[in-house]
Amino acid sequence: MESRLQRIFLTLIRGIVVFLFLQAGPAFADPKVEALELEPLIVREPDRRTVDIDQIDSENFEIGVFGGVMNVEDFGSNSVVGIRAAYHVTEDFFVEGTYGQTELGLTSFEKLSGGAQIISNANRDMTYYNVSIGWNIFPGESFVAGRWAFKGGLYAIAGVGSTEFGGDDLFTINAGMGYRFIATDWLAIHVDVRDHIFESDLLGTKETKHNVEFSGGLTFFF
């Protein structure tokens, strides 16, 4: 009987202790845990690197010089020099004006005739000017040494103008292709091949003449 009363008493004591512990739970909480729970969350901002971006010129005008070799039909190949100016209407199309000059060589007849000349020395300077429309057919980038990328592209060009040749002014059609290599934001390098086509009867028969020009040059944007 006595053991039974002891068990009942101990059970009652356990219940009171559990009840008091639950009521006083926050007071027995670990202060370190509470401090961690109350500590505000700190988000560290990443360090951002400053990047300098080149200011690319947006001007649409281009002017420059060129030089090369021009093969004038019947008169051989001779050096040619000139100037060109262009206006870029859109990213795909541009308008270009060109002025060039070359000095004619001797024809086969003049070489074999022992000094007879078809045209005088005063008329051997051939000059031409034209206005053309260019089309950037393959714009893109050129890579140098696998490290540097430069803008550029292949273009087609054609136009009309006039050629002063042997004392006559001849209506001329020109057509060709070129490659523009943009070295900096203000300088471009050109490589061109063009055919200057006109009709001439200087040698007695009126014929269509094809005069192919190979040239390279520099142009400046402004």
Side-chain angles (χ1 to χ4, degrees):
M1 181 71 175
E2 192 174 56
S3 298
R4 184 177 180 183
L5 291 174
Q6 288 177 352
R7 286 197 299 271
I8 293 173
F9 179 76
L10 290 174
T11 301
L12 182 61
I13 293 299
R14 286 196 202 97
I16 294 172
V17 171
V18 171
F19 175 78
L20 293 175
F21 181 81
L22 293 175
Q23 292 297 320
F28 293 98
D30 189 347
K32 294 182 179 180
V33 174
E34 184 176 359
L36 290 174
E37 293 177 349
L38 297 178
E39 184 179 354
L41 180 63
I42 300 175
V43 179
R44 176 172 294 178
E45 291 291 335
D47 295 333
R48 301 188 182 276
R49 182 168 58 92
T50 301
V51 179
D52 295 328
I53 301 176
D54 289 339
Q55 299 297 319
I56 305 300
D57 290 345
S58 59
E59 288 81 356
N60 296 319
F61 290 95
E62 188 180 8
I63 189 169
V65 296
F66 66 89
V69 176
M70 187 171 186
N71 187 341
V72 180
E73 191 171 336
D74 299 320
F75 288 88
S77 298
N78 298 279
S79 60
V80 61
V81 294
I83 59 174
R84 60 164 58 105
Y87 174 71
H88 293 264
V89 182
T90 67
E91 291 184 358
D92 296 325
F93 295 97
F94 61 93
V95 179
E96 181 187 270
T98 305
Y99 175 85
Q101 179 176 348
T102 184
E103 184 176 353
L104 302 178
L106 297 175
T107 65
S108 299
F109 172 79
E110 290 174 323
K111 292 178 181 178
L112 296 174
S113 64
Q117 290 185 327
I118 296 176
I119 58 176
S120 64
N121 291 332
N123 289 327
R124 288 191 180 273
D125 288 335
M126 188 179 87
T127 60
Y128 68 83
Y129 63 87
N130 55 57
V131 177
S132 307
I133 296 177
W135 174 32
N136 297 312
I137 53 178
F138 292 121
E141 293 183 337
S142 300
F143 295 90
V144 178
R147 297 181 56 187
W148 298 283
F150 297 89
K151 294 184 66 176
L154 189 70
Y155 57 86
I157 192 166
V160 296
S162 179
T163 300
E164 186 177 339
F165 174 69
D168 295 325
D169 289 327
L170 306 173
F171 175 76
T172 305
I173 298 172
N174 79 91
M177 301 190 72
Y179 187 85
R180 180 188 294 107
F181 178 88
I182 302 178
T184 70
D185 59 350
W186 53 270
L187 176 65
I189 302 171
H190 290 252
V191 178
D192 289 84
V193 55
R194 303 190 189 188
D195 188 8
H196 301 262
I197 306 168
F198 53 73
E199 289 187 342
S200 173
D201 58 358
L202 186 63
L203 299 182
T205 303
K206 192 170 186 178
E207 297 178 336
T208 299
K209 304 294 185 180
H210 292 268
N211 310 283
V212 181
E213 174 189 307
F214 298 91
S215 67
L218 299 175
T219 56
F220 304 90
F221 293 96
F222 66 96

